[in-house]
Amino acid sequence: MSFLDGFYEKQRTEDLKQLAQNIAHVILVYKDREKTLSIARELVDVYDTRMVITGSLGKYINQDVDRRDKTIPEVKAEEFLKHPVLRQARNDRIAVTRDFFQVVPDKGRVPRYEEFVAVAVPLHSPDLNNELILYQTMDELRETTNKTTWLIFYAAVIGIILTTFFAFFLSTRITQPLHSMKKAADLYAQGDFSAQISIRTNDEIGDLASTFNHMASRLNDLIVALSREKEQLSSVLKSMVDAVMTFDHHGRIIVTNPPAEALLKAWEYEQGMEEDNDVEKGIKFLPDSMRSILEQAVRNAEEVVTDVVVQGRIYAVVMAPLYDDDQIRGAVAVLRDMTQERRLDKLRQDFVANVSHELRTPLMMLQGYSEAIIDDIAQTAEEKKELAQIIYDESLRMSRLVNELLDIARMEAGYTQLDIRPGNLLQLEDKVIRKFNGVAKEQGICLQMDWQAPDSMFYFDADRLEQVLTNLIDNAIRHTGQGGRVTLRTFMQDEMYIIEVADTGSGIPADDLPFVFERFYKADKARTRGRAGTGLGLSIVKNIVEGHHGTITVRSKLGEGTTFSIQLPIQPEEGRNR
């Protein structure tokens, strides 16, 4: 409106200025004043303008120059001559102004001011020294402005209505589909690919919605396929006997299967790695022995095959690098327990030597002392009796060795009859403890029983189980020094009753742990303190426990002690042959 008002005012002013200049030219050119004023009157009548011609002293030259139409108020010449802008016409300059001037009031009315546009043009010639003033009211401008205002208002109303319809169109055709796509995209980001976008149009928005739906369907198919592959891979890993683990190039373990978890726990127990692993964040790191293999695989970018020993068990390790494009991001390791194979190899090599070793000494003693008797080296009856006693003891030793070998052979062949029946396990354990109390006190060892089971009646072969406990406690006492402690502990766990024989003795070296249940196997004989056995006791113990549908395991740390743990079912089959 301000722009239109200014533009219209400028246009009217220019027109009025042009009219004033034309009238001034007519007045100056034509000598007939009366005719000239008549022409001027007709011109100003056409343009709704009023005209005043002033003298040099501010007086009207002609009082009848007025127009006959009185719609334009009359303003005295003195009012214009007092205006500082219009006075510039005296200096041969055209003066233009828009201002309020006092009009000549009608009869009985108070003088008032109205706004006019006035133009003053000099009328200077040798015989004239006047000014021509033309002025117009602002009514026409205001009327035009009002009409323009209404036109703008109508245009604004129409524009608002059209904008509203267009906004509604955008909302229904563009905004709502886009909002639906955003919600669907959020659901896709959360893993829900079942959301579908309804297609309402056939334009580009509809094509985009159709593409979104197709993308969701394809993503859902891919996720399902990946999930199946992941489940298959997980099932394969869980069903594998070998330990499998993957880790990054920093040694942080990423994926493991159950055998690998058990192996890591054994590693932590053996090497005290609990402090190296961030338990709160669930981050586990490889042991030092595996880190060196990882560094070799990453450095050489090739597969590494080697052996590691964990709790005395030998594992063959095959480690291969994992690639992310051309960069090595970690490695995968497969660990296979080769203890049994190595043990069988060792047994094959050592069986003959062990049997020969066990039989050679008593045979040599039998041969030597019998020759002494034959050669009459023993002169007195007492000496002959002593030699005969030695021959008898060695024959008993050989007989015991042969019987133990036969027992093991029968057990492994499945011909041993176990007389499994209900019995009082507490009484049996108390009997075994009382049997070893004297020996323990002589050696300064604390022998105790820790009974934690809620019931004492179980199914077992009393004679065979007593043989097991006797063997384990005898071994514990022989390998525990003065001031040590041997504990026979019994408790229930997961529908099994657990019998543990724990000592605080010298312990078993990690290299010997996998072989303690093998025939003729003996750990450091220097720790038997002169009471060496045949090396068959623990092998017999293992066979008896397995005849009860049970298992036996051993945990040991060198210098801290050993714990043999027997897990037996509450109600095994009676009379099971082995």
Side-chain angles (χ1 to χ4, degrees), residues 18 42 60 100 150 194 225 245 247 291 327 367 386 401 408 435 446 456 474 498 501 514-515 567:
Q18 187 66 34
E42 291 177 359
Y60 291 105
F100 288 87
W150 280 106
S194 61
M245 60 182 72
F247 32 83
R291 288 182 184 177
Q327 299 294 326
Q367 180 181 356
E386 182 180 355
L401 175 60
I408 292 176
K435 180 166 58 176
C446 176
S456 61
D474 180 64
I498 312 299
V501 178
F515 311 106
Q567 299 87 31

Side-chain angles (χ1 to χ4, degrees), residues 225-237:
L226 289 175
S227 298
R228 289 176 180 173
E229 291 183 3
K230 182 179 179 181
E231 290 176 359
Q232 292 175 358
L233 179 60
S234 178
S235 300
V236 170
L237 288 177

